Amino acid sequence: MRRHLALSLFLLSTACIGSAPPPPPQNVIQIEIDDHGLQGLWEANAPNIKSLIAHGVFGYSRVQVPTHSNQGNYATLTAQFPEGSGVPGNARVDRPKLTSAVSFGSLGLGDYALYPDNPLRTRGDCVYQAAHRLGIHPSYFGQLPPFELGADDVHFTIGGATLYGIQVNWDVGSAMLIGLLQYPDALVNGGSYQLDGPGNPGETTTHFTIRDAALFIQAHSVDQIPRYMYFWDFPAVDNNPTGEIGAEVVKVIEDYDDAIGDVIQALDSKGLLDRTNFVFTLDHGKTNSYDQAVLGSHPANGGDATPADGQMGALVAKLGPSLGIDGNSYVILQDDGDTPIFAHTPGAGTAAGASQQQQVTHALLEVVQSGQLQGVDPTRTVTFDGAMGTRRFHDYRIDGPHQADILVFAAPNWTLNQVDGKNTQPGPFKEHAGNPYGRHGGLSEEELYVPVIFSGPAFKKGVMLPHAVQQADVAATAMWALGAGYLTTQEGAPVMAAFAGQPGETIPQPSDMTTSQPTVLASSGWDGSPNVAPANSAVIVDIDGLYYDEIFNDRTGGMREAAQPFLDLMAQGTVYDHFWNRYRDVPVNEYELLTGGYPVSLDWVPFAEDDPTQEAAPGFGFLAMPPPPGFVSDQAGYQAWRNAGSFGVPSIFDAAKAQGFSTAFIGQPDYQLLHVDPSSIDVNAQPDQSGIASALGAFLSGHGRSLAVVSFGGKRTANRDSPAAVGELAALGQTLRQVVAAAAGNLVLVTSRGATEIDDPGADFYGPTSSRHVPLIALGPNVRQNIVTSEPGEMADLPATVLVGLGFPSRTDFVDGTWATGATVGGIVQPTPSGATGGHALMRMYLP
């Protein structure tokens, strides 16, 4: 699909850690290669990429689930997941039409490709906007729209290409932009858009796209060269079939590596190389599969010309009458290695049609999860509400109005697309039996974890990140290197361990880089079996009103001395500099700290940042972007979290009691106890702040294996540089020092429910989104000492992290990470507590 998609658009210091001030003004070139995987990178003769690796920071980016191109492209441009960008896949559709907003023959795109709806101008921040705030005029070099929107200087590199018998020239290209994608004439013909090409005879478009940027650099003076340049290159190696994909990928890598060498030489000739940073990554990897299971074609699937193997239709015909569905009850829009299934019902996607949509979705789920679809892995199925033990959109940050009702994934060594025209039955290839079928959209380590390279004067040299980063973090890291500071997004944040002078942990690059991916996954709890010496008891310390930045970075007006009790803990344990609350609203954060997830159900509990216009699944959970003033977009959600009432989800207290642990809540409750079962808490002690440490000590000494949650703090002075705020931090630090002493010898996690309340007019004192950047400090007999890590973490990760540290039985999975295991539902293992599907154990505090 991606190949045809492209063709259709052708025609158109240790005391100061974590987030120190951005480096002096430097240049950034961000490169995203679309449509190939890791295989072949180490085999290729790619001296320029390997030089960037050797002289920079190498790591792995965990791309988004499912691994489709365009949601990955937007992640590296917007620092957002689909819940923010609104792009959950390549063929985003709107209900109730269930057709693509942009069509070229039988091929289609979502409305994100249209100028009026492009997330780069409608759904919050992006790299181009961040550059503009610095007075920088960003440039784009790439083969296609819509990823250029917002750049001041746009170079499409397909001039002279002949497609469908039509030679692409400016008249053709501008007509497609204006006529098909609804771009304003003044923008297209205003001088900033150019159609470059053709390249040299025999030169691929992949090579020319990057070499075109080198020609631009050579042709301009230093003061005319943009400080930020974005390259989007599309090799299109997913033909049907891809052939010997390993050899094809090697050829692709060597091709664009040579062009990157041209860029390096051009920068060097202008004296810019020593102040230019490179940020390089892929939008996704590939799945190499030898079998197939095509679920797509059926009577209701109007635009899909791909023939199916007949399984889905036959099974619906067999089971449907008893379930109340038939072949017209669903629509499948094939999207590579997964199958998105949409319930085809009147009013789907609206409140009026929600009940019938739910009934049909659950009936279809009975079919999908029946075990009778050959080549389907029912343990990977994703739905809105987690019915039948399935995973949930909200946990993967992919819910929204354009999402399907069910995502179905192939079993290992299967693909949910047909590649053999003469072989329509499930089973081995016949026509192309010798060639692996390279696809994306499924789930494999090869496609879910892709290389990321940070290289240049802003970054460390010759090291590797020992944990994966989030795809949304790549854009934020590029912007931090540019000097932009925090972005105004809900998601990505800079990976500080990559930057020179930062103490965040890195490891030496292995001599055999083919071992790097399994090393990173195993050392961060995404592969292998955890081996953690269990602590006897655990204490979670939740302190209200703490910015990460005030503790570890602020040096004004006595703040350094006030933060000393926190800084003293650094040598004793592990500090997380990339720990961000997913939400701004304190009650939600506290709930996730205790349960490990969000209460997702069709009886939706909205949150304060919810988009109130989304009134039905799967639109529930869709973030209101850009954030409104005051950040409260859903007043009903804001209020719901402040009213007492159970959401029917067990907490970490329940999980601990089930294993014979004593439980306690000690301190000053905020909203923590509004939504948990009080019977799960053995001791509920609420002394004032001066008595918390002694109450904790008494509880731990009077019980054997124990779990305690300690809470203190309160609303802080907004200006953290003021004497009042410094005094407040000093008081919190002294209480913490006493609490840690009382918990000595046990596992202790120190964090904050939020630096400020969501509607605090003084929020984000240290820059956009900084109220969500809070400390996480881990101490204990099984915790690594004197470590700073940039492993990504959030509140929902804490239950799994604590329970694994207490020795609970666990399992590890490359998609969901490490969980403390609970019951099995429909043959699918669940975590404990059962709602803790939103997080995973943060293993860098345990694993060397």
PDB file of all heavy atoms in Angstrom, residues 708-736:
ATOM      1  N   ALA A 708       3.550   0.359  51.452  1.00  0.00           N
ATOM      2  CA  ALA A 708       2.987   1.602  51.986  1.00  0.00           C
ATOM      3  C   ALA A 708       3.078   2.694  50.926  1.00  0.00           C
ATOM      4  O   ALA A 708       4.057   2.786  50.190  1.00  0.00           O
ATOM      5  CB  ALA A 708       3.743   2.040  53.241  1.00  0.00           C
ATOM      6  N   VAL A 709       2.049   3.501  50.867  1.00  0.00           N
ATOM      7  CA  VAL A 709       2.049   4.721  50.060  1.00  0.00           C
ATOM      8  C   VAL A 709       2.054   5.897  51.012  1.00  0.00           C
ATOM      9  O   VAL A 709       1.188   5.990  51.901  1.00  0.00           O
ATOM     10  CB  VAL A 709       0.839   4.781  49.117  1.00  0.00           C
ATOM     11  CG1 VAL A 709       0.776   6.146  48.412  1.00  0.00           C
ATOM     12  CG2 VAL A 709       0.897   3.662  48.092  1.00  0.00           C
ATOM     13  N   VAL A 710       3.028   6.771  50.856  1.00  0.00           N
ATOM     14  CA  VAL A 710       3.182   7.945  51.718  1.00  0.00           C
ATOM     15  C   VAL A 710       2.876   9.191  50.893  1.00  0.00           C
ATOM     16  O   VAL A 710       3.375   9.331  49.765  1.00  0.00           O
ATOM     17  CB  VAL A 710       4.606   8.013  52.291  1.00  0.00           C
ATOM     18  CG1 VAL A 710       4.818   9.317  53.039  1.00  0.00           C
ATOM     19  CG2 VAL A 710       4.872   6.815  53.193  1.00  0.00           C
ATOM     20  N   SER A 711       2.089  10.084  51.437  1.00  0.00           N
ATOM     21  CA  SER A 711       1.679  11.279  50.697  1.00  0.00           C
ATOM     22  C   SER A 711       1.838  12.512  51.572  1.00  0.00           C
ATOM     23  O   SER A 711       1.404  12.533  52.726  1.00  0.00           O
ATOM     24  CB  SER A 711       0.214  11.142  50.263  1.00  0.00           C
ATOM     25  OG  SER A 711      -0.265  12.339  49.694  1.00  0.00           O
ATOM     26  N   PHE A 712       2.466  13.538  51.017  1.00  0.00           N
ATOM     27  CA  PHE A 712       2.511  14.831  51.711  1.00  0.00           C
ATOM     28  C   PHE A 712       2.794  15.934  50.700  1.00  0.00           C
ATOM     29  O   PHE A 712       3.086  15.681  49.534  1.00  0.00           O
ATOM     30  CB  PHE A 712       3.523  14.842  52.853  1.00  0.00           C
ATOM     31  CG  PHE A 712       4.957  14.547  52.467  1.00  0.00           C
ATOM     32  CD1 PHE A 712       5.841  15.570  52.147  1.00  0.00           C
ATOM     33  CD2 PHE A 712       5.436  13.233  52.457  1.00  0.00           C
ATOM     34  CE1 PHE A 712       7.153  15.298  51.828  1.00  0.00           C
ATOM     35  CE2 PHE A 712       6.743  12.956  52.138  1.00  0.00           C
ATOM     36  CZ  PHE A 712       7.618  13.983  51.813  1.00  0.00           C
ATOM     37  N   GLY A 713       2.743  17.156  51.166  1.00  0.00           N
ATOM     38  CA  GLY A 713       2.919  18.317  50.296  1.00  0.00           C
ATOM     39  C   GLY A 713       1.598  19.006  50.048  1.00  0.00           C
ATOM     40  O   GLY A 713       0.563  18.656  50.606  1.00  0.00           O
ATOM     41  N   GLY A 714       1.629  20.008  49.194  1.00  0.00           N
ATOM     42  CA  GLY A 714       0.428  20.773  48.890  1.00  0.00           C
ATOM     43  C   GLY A 714       0.740  21.862  47.884  1.00  0.00           C
ATOM     44  O   GLY A 714       1.831  21.912  47.309  1.00  0.00           O
ATOM     45  N   LYS A 715      -0.217  22.728  47.667  1.00  0.00           N
ATOM     46  CA  LYS A 715      -0.067  23.783  46.673  1.00  0.00           C
ATOM     47  C   LYS A 715       1.152  24.634  46.995  1.00  0.00           C
ATOM     48  O   LYS A 715       1.352  25.042  48.143  1.00  0.00           O
ATOM     49  CB  LYS A 715      -1.323  24.638  46.610  1.00  0.00           C
ATOM     50  CG  LYS A 715      -1.285  25.711  45.533  1.00  0.00           C
ATOM     51  CD  LYS A 715      -2.612  26.447  45.463  1.00  0.00           C
ATOM     52  CE  LYS A 715      -2.582  27.590  44.451  1.00  0.00           C
ATOM     53  NZ  LYS A 715      -2.272  27.137  43.089  1.00  0.00           N
ATOM     54  N   ARG A 716       1.951  24.927  45.983  1.00  0.00           N
ATOM     55  CA  ARG A 716       3.200  25.656  46.143  1.00  0.00           C
ATOM     56  C   ARG A 716       3.100  27.066  45.572  1.00  0.00           C
ATOM     57  O   ARG A 716       2.255  27.372  44.738  1.00  0.00           O
ATOM     58  CB  ARG A 716       4.330  24.912  45.419  1.00  0.00           C
ATOM     59  CG  ARG A 716       4.589  23.479  45.892  1.00  0.00           C
ATOM     60  CD  ARG A 716       5.527  23.454  47.070  1.00  0.00           C
ATOM     61  NE  ARG A 716       6.747  24.197  46.799  1.00  0.00           N
ATOM     62  CZ  ARG A 716       7.773  23.729  46.060  1.00  0.00           C
ATOM     63  NH1 ARG A 716       7.719  22.505  45.547  1.00  0.00           N
ATOM     64  NH2 ARG A 716       8.845  24.463  45.886  1.00  0.00           N
ATOM     65  N   THR A 717       4.022  27.907  45.992  1.00  0.00           N
ATOM     66  CA  THR A 717       4.159  29.239  45.402  1.00  0.00           C
ATOM     67  C   THR A 717       4.582  29.096  43.945  1.00  0.00           C
ATOM     68  O   THR A 717       5.525  28.366  43.629  1.00  0.00           O
ATOM     69  CB  THR A 717       5.203  30.055  46.172  1.00  0.00           C
ATOM     70  OG1 THR A 717       4.802  30.142  47.543  1.00  0.00           O
ATOM     71  CG2 THR A 717       5.351  31.451  45.586  1.00  0.00           C
ATOM     72  N   ALA A 718       3.883  29.776  43.048  1.00  0.00           N
ATOM     73  CA  ALA A 718       4.114  29.574  41.613  1.00  0.00           C
ATOM     74  C   ALA A 718       5.529  29.936  41.207  1.00  0.00           C
ATOM     75  O   ALA A 718       6.180  29.185  40.460  1.00  0.00           O
ATOM     76  CB  ALA A 718       3.105  30.401  40.814  1.00  0.00           C
ATOM     77  N   ASN A 719       6.040  31.064  41.668  1.00  0.00           N
ATOM     78  CA  ASN A 719       7.392  31.497  41.320  1.00  0.00           C
ATOM     79  C   ASN A 719       8.389  30.697  42.135  1.00  0.00           C
ATOM     80  O   ASN A 719       8.662  31.002  43.298  1.00  0.00           O
ATOM     81  CB  ASN A 719       7.548  32.987  41.581  1.00  0.00           C
ATOM     82  CG  ASN A 719       8.947  33.489  41.243  1.00  0.00           C
ATOM     83  OD1 ASN A 719       9.811  32.719  40.809  1.00  0.00           O
ATOM     84  ND2 ASN A 719       9.169  34.786  41.435  1.00  0.00           N
ATOM     85  N   ARG A 720       8.967  29.664  41.515  1.00  0.00           N
ATOM     86  CA  ARG A 720       9.845  28.780  42.264  1.00  0.00           C
ATOM     87  C   ARG A 720      11.175  29.428  42.646  1.00  0.00           C
ATOM     88  O   ARG A 720      11.919  28.877  43.456  1.00  0.00           O
ATOM     89  CB  ARG A 720      10.101  27.507  41.452  1.00  0.00           C
ATOM     90  CG  ARG A 720       8.893  26.593  41.307  1.00  0.00           C
ATOM     91  CD  ARG A 720       8.313  26.201  42.666  1.00  0.00           C
ATOM     92  NE  ARG A 720       7.570  24.950  42.618  1.00  0.00           N
ATOM     93  CZ  ARG A 720       6.265  24.842  42.474  1.00  0.00           C
ATOM     94  NH1 ARG A 720       5.522  25.945  42.372  1.00  0.00           N
ATOM     95  NH2 ARG A 720       5.674  23.656  42.445  1.00  0.00           N
ATOM     96  N   ASP A 721      11.469  30.579  42.102  1.00  0.00           N
ATOM     97  CA  ASP A 721      12.690  31.275  42.496  1.00  0.00           C
ATOM     98  C   ASP A 721      12.481  32.193  43.700  1.00  0.00           C
ATOM     99  O   ASP A 721      13.431  32.806  44.181  1.00  0.00           O
ATOM    100  CB  ASP A 721      13.212  32.112  41.313  1.00  0.00           C
ATOM    101  CG  ASP A 721      13.736  31.242  40.186  1.00  0.00           C
ATOM    102  OD1 ASP A 721      14.038  30.063  40.453  1.00  0.00           O
ATOM    103  OD2 ASP A 721      13.834  31.738  39.053  1.00  0.00           O
ATOM    104  N   SER A 722      11.245  32.275  44.179  1.00  0.00           N
ATOM    105  CA  SER A 722      10.957  33.167  45.299  1.00  0.00           C
ATOM    106  C   SER A 722      11.403  32.533  46.610  1.00  0.00           C
ATOM    107  O   SER A 722      11.486  31.317  46.737  1.00  0.00           O
ATOM    108  CB  SER A 722       9.461  33.462  45.351  1.00  0.00           C
ATOM    109  OG  SER A 722       8.753  32.292  45.714  1.00  0.00           O
ATOM    110  N   PRO A 723      11.691  33.338  47.632  1.00  0.00           N
ATOM    111  CA  PRO A 723      12.055  32.795  48.942  1.00  0.00           C
ATOM    112  C   PRO A 723      10.992  31.860  49.518  1.00  0.00           C
ATOM    113  O   PRO A 723      11.316  30.868  50.170  1.00  0.00           O
ATOM    114  CB  PRO A 723      12.236  34.038  49.805  1.00  0.00           C
ATOM    115  CG  PRO A 723      12.597  35.122  48.830  1.00  0.00           C
ATOM    116  CD  PRO A 723      11.811  34.813  47.587  1.00  0.00           C
ATOM    117  N   ALA A 724       9.716  32.163  49.258  1.00  0.00           N
ATOM    118  CA  ALA A 724       8.649  31.317  49.786  1.00  0.00           C
ATOM    119  C   ALA A 724       8.724  29.915  49.186  1.00  0.00           C
ATOM    120  O   ALA A 724       8.603  28.903  49.894  1.00  0.00           O
ATOM    121  CB  ALA A 724       7.290  31.942  49.488  1.00  0.00           C
ATOM    122  N   ALA A 725       8.919  29.838  47.874  1.00  0.00           N
ATOM    123  CA  ALA A 725       8.991  28.534  47.220  1.00  0.00           C
ATOM    124  C   ALA A 725      10.223  27.769  47.662  1.00  0.00           C
ATOM    125  O   ALA A 725      10.181  26.545  47.839  1.00  0.00           O
ATOM    126  CB  ALA A 725       9.001  28.716  45.696  1.00  0.00           C
ATOM    127  N   VAL A 726      11.325  28.468  47.852  1.00  0.00           N
ATOM    128  CA  VAL A 726      12.545  27.818  48.334  1.00  0.00           C
ATOM    129  C   VAL A 726      12.316  27.234  49.722  1.00  0.00           C
ATOM    130  O   VAL A 726      12.717  26.090  50.011  1.00  0.00           O
ATOM    131  CB  VAL A 726      13.717  28.816  48.339  1.00  0.00           C
ATOM    132  CG1 VAL A 726      14.928  28.228  49.052  1.00  0.00           C
ATOM    133  CG2 VAL A 726      14.079  29.222  46.913  1.00  0.00           C
ATOM    134  N   GLY A 727      11.650  27.984  50.583  1.00  0.00           N
ATOM    135  CA  GLY A 727      11.353  27.487  51.915  1.00  0.00           C
ATOM    136  C   GLY A 727      10.432  26.270  51.884  1.00  0.00           C
ATOM    137  O   GLY A 727      10.594  25.322  52.670  1.00  0.00           O
ATOM    138  N   GLU A 728       9.458  26.287  50.989  1.00  0.00           N
ATOM    139  CA  GLU A 728       8.549  25.146  50.850  1.00  0.00           C
ATOM    140  C   GLU A 728       9.306  23.890  50.434  1.00  0.00           C
ATOM    141  O   GLU A 728       9.079  22.800  50.980  1.00  0.00           O
ATOM    142  CB  GLU A 728       7.464  25.468  49.822  1.00  0.00           C
ATOM    143  CG  GLU A 728       6.511  26.569  50.261  1.00  0.00           C
ATOM    144  CD  GLU A 728       5.770  27.200  49.103  1.00  0.00           C
ATOM    145  OE1 GLU A 728       5.994  26.772  47.928  1.00  0.00           O
ATOM    146  OE2 GLU A 728       4.977  28.121  49.344  1.00  0.00           O
ATOM    147  N   LEU A 729      10.214  24.040  49.453  1.00  0.00           N
ATOM    148  CA  LEU A 729      10.990  22.892  49.006  1.00  0.00           C
ATOM    149  C   LEU A 729      11.890  22.368  50.117  1.00  0.00           C
ATOM    150  O   LEU A 729      12.031  21.154  50.297  1.00  0.00           O
ATOM    151  CB  LEU A 729      11.829  23.262  47.778  1.00  0.00           C
ATOM    152  CG  LEU A 729      12.653  22.113  47.181  1.00  0.00           C
ATOM    153  CD1 LEU A 729      11.741  21.009  46.663  1.00  0.00           C
ATOM    154  CD2 LEU A 729      13.568  22.628  46.072  1.00  0.00           C
ATOM    155  N   ALA A 730      12.473  23.277  50.897  1.00  0.00           N
ATOM    156  CA  ALA A 730      13.329  22.856  52.005  1.00  0.00           C
ATOM    157  C   ALA A 730      12.542  22.033  53.020  1.00  0.00           C
ATOM    158  O   ALA A 730      13.020  21.011  53.537  1.00  0.00           O
ATOM    159  CB  ALA A 730      13.965  24.074  52.666  1.00  0.00           C
ATOM    160  N   ALA A 731      11.304  22.445  53.304  1.00  0.00           N
ATOM    161  CA  ALA A 731      10.476  21.705  54.264  1.00  0.00           C
ATOM    162  C   ALA A 731      10.116  20.325  53.728  1.00  0.00           C
ATOM    163  O   ALA A 731      10.143  19.328  54.470  1.00  0.00           O
ATOM    164  CB  ALA A 731       9.213  22.504  54.579  1.00  0.00           C
ATOM    165  N   LEU A 732       9.790  20.256  52.449  1.00  0.00           N
ATOM    166  CA  LEU A 732       9.489  18.960  51.841  1.00  0.00           C
ATOM    167  C   LEU A 732      10.719  18.053  51.878  1.00  0.00           C
ATOM    168  O   LEU A 732      10.610  16.848  52.138  1.00  0.00           O
ATOM    169  CB  LEU A 732       9.018  19.150  50.398  1.00  0.00           C
ATOM    170  CG  LEU A 732       7.687  19.875  50.201  1.00  0.00           C
ATOM    171  CD1 LEU A 732       7.433  20.126  48.713  1.00  0.00           C
ATOM    172  CD2 LEU A 732       6.537  19.074  50.799  1.00  0.00           C
ATOM    173  N   GLY A 733      11.885  18.636  51.617  1.00  0.00           N
ATOM    174  CA  GLY A 733      13.112  17.859  51.624  1.00  0.00           C
ATOM    175  C   GLY A 733      13.431  17.286  52.994  1.00  0.00           C
ATOM    176  O   GLY A 733      13.889  16.140  53.114  1.00  0.00           O
ATOM    177  N   GLN A 734      13.185  18.057  54.037  1.00  0.00           N
ATOM    178  CA  GLN A 734      13.458  17.556  55.384  1.00  0.00           C
ATOM    179  C   GLN A 734      12.526  16.409  55.751  1.00  0.00           C
ATOM    180  O   GLN A 734      12.935  15.415  56.360  1.00  0.00           O
ATOM    181  CB  GLN A 734      13.334  18.695  56.390  1.00  0.00           C
ATOM    182  CG  GLN A 734      14.429  19.738  56.275  1.00  0.00           C
ATOM    183  CD  GLN A 734      15.829  19.129  56.350  1.00  0.00           C
ATOM    184  OE1 GLN A 734      16.113  18.278  57.209  1.00  0.00           O
ATOM    185  NE2 GLN A 734      16.711  19.549  55.444  1.00  0.00           N
ATOM    186  N   THR A 735      11.249  16.523  55.360  1.00  0.00           N
ATOM    187  CA  THR A 735      10.318  15.419  55.607  1.00  0.00           C
ATOM    188  C   THR A 735      10.736  14.181  54.827  1.00  0.00           C
ATOM    189  O   THR A 735      10.691  13.054  55.352  1.00  0.00           O
ATOM    190  CB  THR A 735       8.889  15.832  55.224  1.00  0.00           C
ATOM    191  OG1 THR A 735       8.500  16.962  56.003  1.00  0.00           O
ATOM    192  CG2 THR A 735       7.913  14.695  55.460  1.00  0.00           C
ATOM    193  N   LEU A 736      11.142  14.371  53.585  1.00  0.00           N
ATOM    194  CA  LEU A 736      11.591  13.235  52.783  1.00  0.00           C
ATOM    195  C   LEU A 736      12.782  12.547  53.433  1.00  0.00           C
ATOM    196  O   LEU A 736      12.851  11.303  53.484  1.00  0.00           O
ATOM    197  CB  LEU A 736      11.946  13.695  51.379  1.00  0.00           C
ATOM    198  CG  LEU A 736      12.538  12.608  50.464  1.00  0.00           C
ATOM    199  CD1 LEU A 736      11.548  11.477  50.245  1.00  0.00           C
ATOM    200  CD2 LEU A 736      12.987  13.195  49.139  1.00  0.00           C
TER     201      LEU A 736
END
